[in-house]
Amino acid sequence: MSIKAVVLEEFKKVYGESTGAKVYFAPGRVNLIGEHTDYNGGHVFPCALSIGTYGVACPREDRVLRFYSVNFPQLGVIESSLDDLVPDPKAEWTNYPKGVMWAFEQRGMKIPTGMDLVLYGNIPNGSGLSSSASVEVLTGFILRDLFGFDVTNQDLALIGQFAENKYNMVNCGIMDQFAIAMGKKDHAIFLDTADLSFEYAPIKLDGAKIVIACSNKKRGLADSKYNERRSECEEALAELQTVVAAENLGALDEETFEKYSAVIGSDIRKKRAKHAVYENRRTMRAVEALKDGDVVAFGQLMNASHVSLRDDYEVTGIELDTLVEEAWKIDGVIGSRMTGAGFGGCTVSIVMDEAVDEFIQKVGEAYLAKIGYAANFYVVDIGDGPCVL
Ligand code: GLA
């Protein structure tokens, strides 16, 4: 049975009827390089995945909202209303779709009726492959499709980010929602977060695959550490701005940074800003390398990105470091690094076809031996953005 048929069946089981229901999909994302640059006005290079979130939606005649997730059956049907778009921990995961509905209304797009929804995600739980951004973009896509709102996919990304920032109070940048809303099969998105200009770059990995290793580490303090990094960068930028004109850290090249970095009053802030500046330039260089067909150089820049995230930005931890450092030991690994916010989540590696099995076995064994619980591995494909199925 196709996933479409399965989720329609679930919808029927939960709500008794599936006439008039439509099925939608929005991907997850993985970032190839350009980490912790998106809130510093730098470049990122993510792609959408062929795994993601499926949604079945059917409009109602009243203002009631009913939500059910196949991933959280123990929560049953969570009921709400368009008149109750207020964040509430008791609303569990439905705070994500509700946040997007709220964000539409904030922009003057009144949602005319409630709806019944069933969601199912095949993004591994807590992996850092952006399941929440996937749900946000999916919700925006459904609202546009059902009610004809005049918004572009790029707007859906911005609305999703706004909902995440202001309704769910997670201070993320634009990368995740943008990668998901604008995804294109077999392409990564080279996005300049300073002005949202972007370009699709074909990812032709002849003879190699993208492998994701999920650390399964609980991301306990991730949000507060994330916010701490953001403010360290903001402070460093303010210090730099007393001596050099730069709108953000992404506007600086390495030389200019080194010339003026002494003005930054703490070593920690200097390291954070250094990462943001160097990672941005690395990302620009990585895309150039790819355009020249130099996958090896691309891989080396991925490795350098990890070192910088480990030593200067300090967002890796023993779990992600073990996955990456074990990966580096294997012949046929072109590049490997942590991806996403860090502090847990997963790594992304480019691995030659013939080395994939060995990679999964050896990295898996070493991880289990050192960390005490297992990692999960996924060979992934780059997919398209949201769609109606
Ligand atoms: C999370 C955020 C993104 C980005 C990354 C780090 O995924 O949601 O906006 O900042 O971390 O690159």
Side-chain angles (χ1 to χ4, degrees):
M1 222 177 4
S2 68
I3 298 186
K4 177 179 174 182
V6 171
V7 289
L8 268 172
E9 204 43 48
E10 284 285 339
F11 190 95
K12 210 165 161 184
K13 254 201 296 196
V14 174
Y15 299 118
E17 170 74 79
S18 64
T19 334
K22 285 176 83 173
V23 184
Y24 303 85
F25 171 77
R29 72 95 187 88
V30 67
N31 188 23
L32 297 178
I33 190 163
E35 217 64 81
H36 289 280
T37 48
D38 68 345
Y39 50 84
N40 284 308
H43 292 79
V44 292
F45 196 50
C47 48
L49 297 172
S50 56
I51 50 176
T53 317
Y54 293 78
V56 189
C58 189
R60 301 172 53 94
E61 281 170 4
D62 54 18
R63 294 179 61 75
V64 170
L65 297 166
R66 291 195 293 176
F67 300 95
Y68 179 83
S69 167
V70 177
N71 300 79
F72 302 107
Q74 71 281 12
L75 298 176
V77 174
I78 299 181
E79 198 167 315
S80 187
S81 141
L82 286 171
D83 301 314
D84 179 34
L85 298 177
V86 187
D88 177 359
K90 284 204 284 303
E92 300 276 354
W93 65 271
T94 72
N95 280 312
Y96 291 106
K98 285 175 72 179
V100 172
M101 293 174 186
W102 169 84
F104 267 72
E105 301 226 322
Q106 289 293 304
R107 297 191 172 208
M109 293 178 278
K110 295 284 167 222
I111 299 165
T113 70
M115 65 182 80
D116 291 337
L117 276 166
V118 163
L119 259 58
Y120 162 67
N122 56 4
I123 302 174
N125 232 346
S127 61
L129 301 177
S130 287
S131 52
S132 64
S134 178
V135 169
E136 285 158 359
V137 172
L138 178 77
T139 307
F141 189 87
I142 290 173
L143 293 175
R144 177 175 78 188
D145 186 68
L146 291 182
F147 305 121
F149 293 122
D150 184 18
V151 283
T152 63
N153 275 29
Q154 189 164 317
D155 295 330
L156 295 182
L158 289 162
I159 293 170
Q161 184 202 15
F162 182 74
E164 180 100 29
N165 292 167
K166 304 287 179 209
Y167 193 93
N168 282 294
M169 301 319 255
V170 176
N171 212 3
C172 66
I174 188 62
M175 171 169 76
D176 304 346
Q177 290 82 2
F178 198 97
I180 288 166
M182 305 296 285
K184 182 169 164 168
K185 190 171 167 46
D186 296 330
H187 289 73
I189 308 174
F190 181 44
L191 169 68
D192 183 349
T193 62
D195 59 8
L196 296 190
S197 59
F198 69 98
E199 178 187 328
Y200 288 111
I203 302 290
K204 285 197 255 34
L205 297 174
D206 294 328
K209 298 222 164 15
I210 300 177
V211 184
I212 288 172
C214 187
S215 69
N216 290 323
K217 177 182 184 208
K218 296 265 164 298
R219 297 182 47 203
L221 290 169
D223 290 347
S224 63
K225 295 254 192 233
Y226 183 90
N227 287 339
E228 188 182 288
R229 294 296 177 280
R230 273 194 85 138
S231 32
E232 285 162 349
C233 285
E234 277 159 27
E235 251 182 86
L237 174 66
E239 290 169 290
L240 285 163
Q241 283 170 332
T242 61
V243 289
V244 59
E247 220 168 283
N248 46 53
L249 293 174
L252 296 172
D253 59 23
E254 296 99 327
E255 263 176 25
T256 317
F257 174 76
E258 295 299 344
K259 191 164 159 202
Y260 295 109
S261 65
V263 79
I264 302 173
S266 94
D267 286 344
I268 296 259
R269 285 200 298 280
K270 210 177 288 171
K271 290 206 288 185
R272 308 301 191 235
K274 180 176 180 201
H275 168 78
V277 170
Y278 279 65
E279 178 77 353
N280 179 40
R281 299 288 146 170
R282 241 188 316 268
T283 306
M284 295 159 81
R285 245 172 251 137
V287 175
E288 279 309 310
L290 209 59
K291 281 187 187 156
D292 295 342
D294 193 347
V295 183
V296 171
F298 186 86
Q300 282 162 355
L301 290 160
M302 288 176 75
N303 298 347
S305 164
H306 185 83
V307 170
S308 176
L309 288 156
R310 183 189 67 194
D311 299 345
D312 286 337
Y313 219 62
E314 298 181 278
V315 292
T316 57
I318 187 172
E319 297 82 2
L320 293 171
D321 288 339
T322 301
L323 288 173
V324 165
E325 286 157 20
E326 291 299 326
W328 287 342
K329 291 182 190 163
I330 293 170
D331 278 345
V333 170
I334 296 168
S336 183
R337 57 181 289 276
M338 61 148 272
T339 183
F343 316 106
C346 48
T347 67
V348 59
S349 308
I350 299 181
V351 186
M352 296 303 291
D353 290 344
E354 59 276 12
V356 170
D357 288 344
E358 184 193 349
F359 174 96
I360 294 176
Q361 198 201 331
K362 289 211 172 134
V363 177
E365 280 171 9
Y367 186 80
L368 179 61
K370 188 154 179 186
I371 306 299
Y373 50 83
N376 293 107
F377 297 86
Y378 305 88
V379 177
V380 293
D381 294 311
I382 303 180
D384 279 317
C387 61
V388 181
L389 288 176

